[in-house]
Structure formats: structure tokens, C-alpha cells
Amino acid sequence: MTVILRSLQTAVPETVMIQPQVRDVFAAQPDLTRLGRRLVGAAFDSSGIDTRYTVVKELTLEAAAENPVFFDQKELRILSPSTKTRNELYAEEGTKLFVEAARKALDAATGIEASDITHVVTVSCTGFFAPGPDYKIVRALDLAPSVQRYHIGFMGCYGAFPALRSAKAFCDADPDAVVLVVSAELCSLHVRSSNNPDTIVGSSLFADGAAAAVITARDLPLDGPALSLDHFETVLTPVGEEAMAWNIGDEGFEMVLGTYVPHIIDEHIIGALEPLLARDASLEGIAYSEIEHWAIHPGGRSILDKVEAKLGLTQEQLAPARETLRDFGNMSSATVMFVLKNILEQPATDGNNRVCSMAFGPGLTVETALLTRIGATAGPDAAVADDAAAAAGGVDVPADLQPILAKAGA
């Protein structure tokens, strides 16, 4: 039995933040020291980001708010609303993003209706309210009131992986289950002016966005590329507990993103991948670059640089992550879903179509996943691949081996 991610859709707010403009606003804050201004310039200019999106409509230079709460455009001053004020906007705007992404994913899932959804799993670390986003999705999409609901909260940038792993477990246990996974993060709610290097780096990176996926093991036809969820692993690095954290303060949530994080990843990424790749005998002894697709969470440009160099990957293999960072910034748990969507939208190739995915978060925690891109074989082999998958009796079969198995009558 193969558990398939059948549709993957994303959503972002309307307000666009242009990175050079945001940099100039942060650099102009009156509370900054001379060193702070230099750090702002360095962090923003080296971020690898062009644009980000935010639910805070005030964070724009286009139209000034009459009674600003987050940003006084007339004085170009970043304000400091309370955590309560920020969280109230999270409940309002976050609900919209959760529902939009979920609706898009359900609409894109061929053969799946709202009445088919059996589980909803939501993910977020940038706000809290109850009844929460899982409830809001059930009501807005008119899902069955008996749908099982789960919320994965405050796990940071790797939060999508426990959600996907849970979805696979539900489907493994019940072949008729259909799971809707939705991640939405409103990181921009917590931006602030500061001389603290961690806060400055966070302000240069974080953004808002949502992603949703429909996952099931039901035997349904595919009308486009999808992902089989093969294996997941979790690894805690022996160091780094204090290097990445997410705390609740009086004026929003406070990110700790130490400059040593890329070095920790550089030192421990090989060990974090070992238990994942050991789950598939066909990957034993191969070079990392032989795995065609890499969906790395773009926590920052320096993290991607370290991963690319340490694993000997090509620029093309890191392109989905770098493009996501460039166009959307770091949207915490939702970001790796954007990277996977980028990979699904790439033209079909004759490669092995395996996908290795990875995200990093507080702990320091490394979550990994091994996936297979299916339903995307080029040309006439598409039908052959489908026949091979059926003949294999639901066993996970890499796409490049499916035509061989079909010809052999496996």
C-alpha cells in the first residue's frame, strides 16, 4: 500500500515586502546603534531574498494607516504592539490563510470531495486560539463534523514533517483515510526593531504563507505529478539546544537564531541523513548528488550554502529551495511545502525521481523525509509506470524502475 500526497497548494497574503525597502526602514529606526545599522544592512543584503509577504497591511510604503499599530509610515517607525494585539491579528488573518490553502488543495485533489476527508492536521507556531484553525477549516469547507482533528503547534520550521508523518500513519492504519494537512505561519506579526543580532537576522528572513496537501492511500487515478510518502526520520543533534529557539515575550514571540546554526548543520547533516537513507537498500553507497531532488527547508542562504557544499549537491538540486527563499522568504513550517511544490511543478525527467527532504528547528532538531515523485514519467512511459505500480501490488517502487518491472511482468 502506497500513501500518496495527491495535491499540494500554497497561499500568501496580498501585501508584498520588497527586501531593499524593508532593509532601509529597519536601518532607519532611531533605537539602532551604529553597529546595529551595519548588522541590518549585512543581514538583509546577504539574505538571498527579493520579496516576502505579510498579513500586516501596514507594512507597506504605499498607503499609510490612520491609526497605525505595527508601522507608522509617516515617521517610518516600527511600533511594538503587545503579544495580545499580535495574536488577535493571527486569529483573524491566519484563519483566512488556513482556509484558502485548504480549499485550494481540496479543489486540486482529483477524485476527492469534502465528504471524503477523514482527518485534518494543522501546523503553526506563530499564534494560538481555540477553537483553532482545524475547527475553522472543518466549518469553512463544510467537512463532516466527525472529522478527526489534530493541531501540531510551536515546533518551528520542521513542523510540517510531523504532520506529514502523522498523515502517513493514519493512512497506513486505514487505507480509506483521506488526510488534509495544512500549515500556516504569520511570522511577520513578530518582527521588531532591535540591536540583537538574532532578532535582526530573523527580521531579514521571516515571512507569512500557508500550504496544504491532501494525502491518501485510496486507489485513485492521478492526473498530474504527486509524491509517495516513503520514509521519515527524526534526529536531535548533540549540540545546539540554545542556538535555535522560539519564546513568548510581552511584545510578540522572540526568535533565537544563533549565527552558529549553519555550522551545527554542517557538522551533523551527514549523521542526520544516515538513518533515513538506510531505510532504502537501493540508496546504499550512492553519492548524495545521485538522489535527483532535494527539498531543503531554506532557513537562510548560509544554511543552503552549507548543505550544498557538505553533500556535494549541484546548484540545480538546490534551486527549488533557493527560489522559494528568494520569492517568499522563510515562512517557518510552511516553507518546505513550497519547496516540494516547486519540485512537483518541474518538467518530467528521466532521472530517478527520488526526493530527499529536510528541515531544521528548535532543539536543534533535524527532520528528514524520503519521497518519490510519481505520475510524472515523460512521454509514453507514463502509462507503463502506472501499470507497473499496479502490478507491484502497492509496493513503493522508484519511478525509474517501474518501466523495467512492467516489461518483466512483475
Side-chain angles (χ1 to χ4, degrees):
M1 181 175 66
T2 305
V3 178
I4 305 294
L5 187 156
R6 304 186 64 85
S7 72
L8 177 55
Q9 297 294 317
T10 59
V12 293
E14 294 180 357
T15 302
V16 183
M17 296 190 295
I18 308 300
Q19 190 76 336
Q21 294 178 358
V22 181
R23 175 202 62 205
D24 293 346
V25 168
F26 271 85
Q29 297 309 297
D31 58 329
L32 283 187
T33 63
R34 188 174 182 180
L35 175 59
R37 280 190 286 274
R38 290 178 57 193
L39 289 173
V40 166
F44 278 75
D45 290 345
S46 62
S47 66
I49 296 171
D50 291 345
T51 55
R52 294 181 281 168
Y53 294 82
T54 176
V55 298
V56 184
K57 297 179 176 64
E58 295 175 12
L59 294 180
T60 175
L61 298 178
E62 295 180 2
E66 290 186 8
N67 299 299
V69 177
F70 286 83
F71 177 53
D72 187 337
Q73 187 186 124
K74 294 178 180 177
E75 297 185 6
L76 293 182
R77 187 180 179 94
I78 298 169
L79 306 177
S80 298
S82 68
T83 300
K84 180 178 186 294
T85 298
R86 298 174 195 259
N87 197 65
E88 286 175 344
L89 189 58
Y90 171 87
E92 177 184 353
E93 297 296 332
T95 295
K96 297 176 184 177
L97 279 180
F98 271 108
V99 170
E100 179 184 352
R103 180 174 283 115
K104 290 170 68 175
L106 184 56
D107 289 346
T110 301
I112 300 292
E113 304 294 336
S115 58
D116 293 313
I117 301 297
T118 59
H119 301 70
V120 171
V121 183
T122 54
V123 187
S124 191
C125 68
T126 47
F128 300 94
F129 65 96
D134 50 310
Y135 171 91
K136 299 292 187 181
I137 289 170
V138 169
R139 290 302 193 197
L141 272 59
D142 197 25
L143 306 184
S146 58
V147 165
Q148 297 182 36
R149 311 190 325 265
Y150 303 85
H151 182 70
I152 295 175
F154 227 66
M155 297 191 80
C157 294
Y158 65 82
F161 284 83
L164 294 174
R165 186 170 57 237
S166 297
K168 176 175 168 56
F170 294 143
C171 294
D172 284 338
D174 177 7
D176 199 45
V178 180
V179 186
L180 178 60
V181 172
V182 193
S183 169
E185 302 287 11
L186 279 60
C187 306
S188 71
L189 290 176
H190 304 290
V191 298
R192 61 176 53 77
S193 177
S194 173
N195 288 294
N196 181 285
D198 289 352
T199 304
I200 290 173
V201 170
S203 298
S204 73
L205 292 174
F206 285 103
D208 304 347
V214 174
I215 297 162
T216 187
R218 289 187 181 184
D219 185 14
L220 297 168
L222 290 173
D223 63 354
L227 293 168
S228 71
L229 305 185
D230 302 335
H231 306 292
F232 293 88
E233 290 289 343
T234 301
V235 171
L236 296 180
T237 62
V239 295
E241 182 177 350
E242 306 300 326
M244 189 183 295
W246 192 223
N247 303 310
I248 299 177
D250 293 334
E251 297 177 348
F253 297 174
E254 300 167 353
M255 166 57 70
V256 176
L257 189 62
T259 57
Y260 196 63
V261 168
H263 301 284
I264 297 173
I265 292 172
D266 180 60
E267 293 172 1
H268 297 285
I269 188 173
I270 299 295
L273 281 172
E274 285 178 352
L276 178 75
L277 301 184
R279 301 285 296 273
D280 189 329
S282 69
L283 301 178
E284 183 178 358
I286 73 169
Y288 297 110
S289 59
E290 292 183 47
I291 298 175
E292 184 172 3
H293 302 290
W294 286 81
I296 306 299
H297 167 69
R301 183 192 55 78
S302 59
I303 289 176
L304 295 179
D305 290 345
K306 289 291 186 181
V307 171
E308 181 178 324
K310 189 70 174 183
L311 301 183
L313 304 180
T314 65
Q315 292 183 0
E316 290 75 15
Q317 287 171 308
L318 265 291
R322 294 193 189 278
E323 289 170 1
T324 298
L325 182 66
R326 180 195 66 203
D327 296 338
F328 300 100
N330 182 341
M331 300 162 286
S332 192
S333 66
T335 321
V336 74
M337 304 277 275
F338 278 68
V339 179
L340 288 170
K341 186 171 186 290
N342 182 301
I343 290 173
L344 283 176
E345 291 173 346
Q346 293 178 14
T349 69
D350 294 328
N352 59 26
N353 284 313
R354 299 311 295 274
V355 182
C356 190
S357 189
M358 179 181 298
F360 321 94
L364 194 137
T365 303
V366 184
E367 288 277 354
T368 57
L370 189 62
L371 319 168
T372 304
R373 187 175 186 261
I374 60 175
T377 306
D381 287 342
V384 175
D386 289 340
D387 291 343
V395 177
D396 294 341
V397 181
D400 57 329
L401 299 181
Q402 291 171 353
I404 299 174
L405 289 175
K407 293 174 183 177

